Amino acid sequence: MGAVIAPSILSADFARLGADIKDAEAGGAGLIHVDVMDGHFVPNLTVGPAVTRAVRRVTQLPVDCHLMIEDPDRYVVAFAEAGADMISVHVEVARHLERTVAAIKESGAKAGVVLNPATPLETLSEILPAADFVLLMSVNPGFGGQKLIRSVLDKARRLRAWIDRLGIATRIEIDGGVTLENLDEVAASGVDMIVAGSAIFSSGDPRGATQSLVRKLAAFAERGQGV
Ligand code: DX5
Ligand code: ZN
């Protein structure tokens, strides 16, 4: 099965967030990606459980909360209660990662672990079998609209091979700098979920932009993975 597109609302128009999300859903989005930033782990500040709850109310799609915050343990339950279906935490800040992953699962959400571009895959060695998904940052987190860091595609390929070798079901998500132009390259790295923020919401036509990405992915999957 091909990968799914995960629109990041970071670049949406927050004054018409519900409509933007519905447009992305109508365009064939597979899940809605919510970027949570605390002004400490990353310089930017965004949204929390209240907006997550509002997102939950306007979409049927899974809600995927990417926590770019210093103290994820304090907040995972609040995000799960707000309706997050997937919650991911950065390995760079989760001091007791096994406990955090267990707490996310206990809350009923899928647990993800996130690696910044410069964080080695090896940091996953003990946690990988426990994680439902791994999110690879393909930009340094904090802002939408940055350029894809291409070396992360090789990292994704190595992670895909590792997961396949272990025979586990851990899924791979990639986040940052994805455009219609580089989508085939990104898909060829073997990822399952592809986040796109500005490519969708800065386009002026979130439905059409999502549709273009989804169609390009479908065409890629039809041609087979042999790129
Ligand atoms: C960056 C966020 C991304 C961001 C992606 O810190 O985690 O989800 O919204 O935006 P684009 O697709 O514009 O790079
Ligand atoms: Zn994100």
Side-chain angles (χ1 to χ4, degrees), residues 36-208:
V36 177
M37 305 187 189
D38 67 350
H40 292 277
F41 176 57
V42 289
N44 206 356
L45 280 166
T46 57
V47 300
V51 171
T52 301
R53 189 169 294 113
V55 171
R56 172 72 289 154
R57 277 202 296 268
V58 298
T59 183
Q60 305 297 315
L61 296 174
V63 174
D64 168 32
C65 286
H66 171 197
L67 305 189
M68 286 160 275
I69 63 179
E70 286 283 351
D71 194 358
D73 286 338
R74 261 177 83 183
Y75 297 102
V76 290
V77 170
F79 282 98
E81 283 175 0
D85 302 282
M86 299 162 63
I87 299 174
S88 59
V89 297
H90 275 256
V91 300
E92 300 86 3
V93 285
R95 282 201 199 147
H96 308 288
L97 187 56
E98 196 281 334
R99 186 165 68 201
T100 311
V101 164
I104 294 171
K105 289 176 156 179
E106 181 75 13
S107 76
K110 298 283 185 207
V113 291
V114 194
L115 302 187
N116 277 337
T119 303
L121 273 187
E122 288 68 27
T123 56
L124 293 174
S125 63
E126 306 304 319
I127 202 69
L128 188 59
D132 294 306
F133 66 105
V134 173
L135 171 47
L136 295 179
M137 291 307 301
S138 42
V139 298
N140 288 295
F143 301 95
Q146 303 180 76
K147 198 170 172 296
L148 178 88
I149 298 171
R150 280 208 155 60
S151 59
V152 176
L153 300 180
D154 180 59
K155 193 180 187 181
R157 257 184 226 103
R158 284 183 281 126
L159 178 57
R160 171 88 279 151
W162 187 8
I163 288 171
D164 291 349
R165 201 161 54 237
L166 292 178
I168 55 179
T170 313
R171 294 190 300 157
I172 308 174
E173 184 173 24
I174 195 161
D175 184 6
V178 174
T179 62
L180 197 58
E181 289 67 41
N182 61 30
L183 185 64
D184 278 359
E185 266 182 275
V186 171
S189 71
V191 297
D192 305 294
M193 299 172 280
I194 300 175
V195 177
S198 51
I200 290 176
F201 294 111
S202 304
S203 68
D205 176 14
R207 181 184 173 147

Side-chain angles (χ1 to χ4, degrees), residues 23-24 26-28 180 199-200 203-215:
D23 281 352
L180 197 58
I200 290 176
S203 68
D205 176 14
R207 181 184 173 147
T210 307
Q211 216 161 46
S212 303
L213 292 165
V214 168
R215 284 187 181 148

